[in-house]
Amino acid sequence: GLFRVFAVTLVGVVAPTAPTVLAELSARRPSFPFDHQMESPDDAINRDLVRPGTARVFPLVRFIHRVPKKAYLYKPELRYFTVVDTAAHTKWVGRMKPTDFHGVPLNTRVLFIARWGDHRPYYRTFAFGLPRSDSTKLRLLKPPIVNDTVVSHNLDVVLITHPGAPSEMIGVGGQYSFLKDLRNTYHLDEPHMRLRDGVNLLRARSLDDVLSGRWQPWDPYNVVGTPPTIFDGNHTGCYDLRDRSVAFGLVGTCEFDGKMSVVHFGGRYLVYARSNTKVAGGRYVQVVRSQGDDPAGPYGSFELIRIDGYDWRGPGNIYFAAVQPHPLDGSMLLGMFPVNAGEDGAPSAGPQGAETNLMHGNTDGPSMVAIAASCDGVHFGKLTQLLKSTPVEGRTYDHPVDGFVVDGTDVHFYIHRDVPGISPYAHNSTRLVRHAFDLAGLQRITDEARRELPECSPSAGSASAGVLAIEVGQSRVLLLVALSIVGMLACVVARVLAVRRRWSSLAQR
């Protein structure tokens, strides 16, 4: 208890210096020569996996400069994009009222969702659309689709089609604070803001409900309604060393301080969340799966994802995972990851309890946005570079946008270049860039994963296939037992009949 009070007091003392620290960090130049501020969109791509000449740029700078001062603490930020392809969801395609978009009809087939704000309590989630004129000028759709700062911190969404029912958008986001028991007593957090009580769930059956904000049936101050929580930071298996309320180097509660990713796969919901494998830095990814086909849970235990060729105990950082169904193979998943490999020879996390330096997890090394395939959502194949990025303080200038858009024979993915709050060039160059996969290259990654990952073998199957195999196996055992019993009874009957015939034969004599 005293330790936590001291920790909160220390935060209060240090906080006023934060603007100065942020200014110093922003002024630092990267220690690596790769600088893509003014590059062609194709300069950094892996041409074995990305088709050159397909890039399309969507500027975001004007959204940064138009943010009112009351909407941020230190600097205006816009990050953690998700793109939603509504092509297979007829309930979600259509023309909204022109007055909703200042008289501009939008192509609502593709929606972008992102976090606006740089700090609690300023986080909000906004949606962006494209005019039907096929312009690259994104339109900000007001009001915010989520005005809850806790959920908006790391929100991700997925659009699900239910057999015989309307499509449904599922939103998953939220944080958990290990200091929450102090806030109500000492009022050391933002006044009147609700507790960071864990990961919350949003559900909407129509596009109108999302864009109007009606899918959030509570207000951010907990005056009306209570957010449904699907799990919190004490959930079984959750791995995080950032928690300062426990002894140094021990696993504490999970804060969920990075972008989440939610995907529906194999009849279950998989939620990917931040795992801090060091006290400072060492960002990685953990995943938890629902036990049934319900995003409300219950959920099983968290487990760290596994990536072939990547050691999560090493000096690198994987800022988050953006995981989606494989656009070419429905039995697989594709994950995109912002990767900073860290400095060679930097201290590793090591096994829990080892005397290693857990504080320095923000070193810089070769950086990229990478992709990897998986058959179970836990074990991924080797990372393959999509494009180069620039490292800074354990992070990368660029982030993948969560989602793919299939347009005819093209499979598009998006990259958020020069992310505000990370890249010092964001104020004049932050943008979304759309690329198209080289399908032959994507197929090579898929084939390699099928060869190398044991979960992709025919005997492993998906989670649902595994359950089915168990059920089939049990049925076969029961059938064999039944046949054995029938066989034994037949033998007994035959023996009894033989004995009766023998006695009849003796009686006739």
Side-chain angles (χ1 to χ4, degrees), residues 12 40 63 88 110 128 209 242 297 306 311 337 383 453 466 502:
S40 162
F63 299 117
V110 178
F128 299 80
D209 287 342
R242 181 184 169 94
R306 304 191 305 280
D311 183 4
F337 308 89
L383 294 171
L453 299 179
R502 179 67 175 168

Side-chain angles (χ1 to χ4, degrees), residues 297-359:
Y299 283 80
S301 298
F302 270 101
E303 52 186 318
L304 295 176
I305 65 170
R306 304 191 305 280
I307 301 176
D308 284 356
Y310 184 89
D311 183 4
W312 63 269
R313 297 179 179 85
N317 280 265
I318 292 183
Y319 208 61
F320 61 84
V323 183
Q324 291 287 322
H326 196 307
L328 305 182
D329 187 339
S331 66
M332 299 184 73
L333 295 171
L334 278 181
M336 294 190 290
F337 308 89
V339 182
N340 185 331
E343 181 182 357
D344 288 339
S348 299
Q352 185 176 335
E355 293 183 2
T356 53
N357 193 336
L358 298 176
M359 287 298 295

Side-chain angles (χ1 to χ4, degrees), residues 178-439:
F178 57 84
L179 296 175
K180 70 172 188 175
D181 58 330
L182 290 177
R183 292 205 297 272
N184 281 341
T185 304
Y186 299 102
H187 303 288
L188 295 176
D189 209 335
E190 291 85 357
H192 311 301
M193 296 306 297
R194 76 175 183 87
L195 298 178
R196 286 172 277 186
D197 56 355
V199 176
N200 305 123
L201 179 67
L202 294 166
R203 310 179 79 148
R205 291 284 188 179
S206 73
L207 180 60
D208 288 319
D209 287 342
V210 173
L211 295 183
S212 66
R214 288 194 301 266
W215 70 329
Q216 179 188 313
W218 68 88
D219 75 294
Y221 305 103
N222 271 11
V223 176
V224 178
T226 300
T229 301
I230 56 177
F231 52 78
D232 62 23
N234 295 305
H235 195 78
T236 306
C238 208
Y239 188 91
D240 203 309
L241 299 184
R242 181 184 169 94
D243 187 346
R244 286 8 178 228
S245 68
V246 298
F248 181 84
L250 296 182
V251 177
T253 59
C254 289
E255 186 179 353
F256 306 124
D257 57 315
K259 184 187 186 312
M260 290 191 157
S261 183
V262 57
V263 61
H264 186 247
F265 180 67
R268 298 187 181 187
Y269 289 86
L270 283 70
V271 180
Y272 295 84
R274 168 75 56 81
S275 173
N276 295 293
T277 65
K278 298 181 182 179
V279 175
R283 300 168 189 83
Y284 196 56
V285 180
Q286 55 190 333
V287 61
V288 63
R289 288 179 282 196
S290 65
Q291 296 179 2
D293 195 3
D294 186 350
Y299 283 80
S301 298
F302 270 101
E303 52 186 318
L304 295 176
I305 65 170
R306 304 191 305 280
I307 301 176
D308 284 356
Y310 184 89
D311 183 4
W312 63 269
R313 297 179 179 85
N317 280 265
I318 292 183
Y319 208 61
F320 61 84
V323 183
Q324 291 287 322
H326 196 307
L328 305 182
D329 187 339
S331 66
M332 299 184 73
L333 295 171
L334 278 181
M336 294 190 290
F337 308 89
V339 182
N340 185 331
E343 181 182 357
D344 288 339
S348 299
Q352 185 176 335
E355 293 183 2
T356 53
N357 193 336
L358 298 176
M359 287 298 295
H360 301 291
N362 285 320
T363 60
D364 287 333
S367 296
M368 61 182 172
V369 174
I371 193 169
S374 174
C375 283
D376 67 345
V378 179
H379 188 184
F380 288 81
K382 295 178 182 178
L383 294 171
T384 300
Q385 177 179 296
L386 277 174
L387 74 158
K388 291 180 182 179
S389 189
T390 304
V392 57
E393 299 289 331
R395 301 163 177 83
T396 59
Y397 277 20
D398 311 303
H399 287 170
V401 174
D402 203 331
F404 302 119
V405 176
V406 179
D407 188 6
T409 59
D410 291 331
V411 178
H412 296 294
F413 67 93
Y414 293 78
I415 302 295
H416 186 186
R417 309 299 300 268
D418 287 315
V419 175
I422 298 179
S423 168
Y425 306 118
H427 67 284
N428 61 11
S429 65
T430 186
R431 63 213 181 273
L432 295 182
V433 182
R434 190 190 73 184
H435 296 276
F437 281 110
D438 180 291
L439 297 186

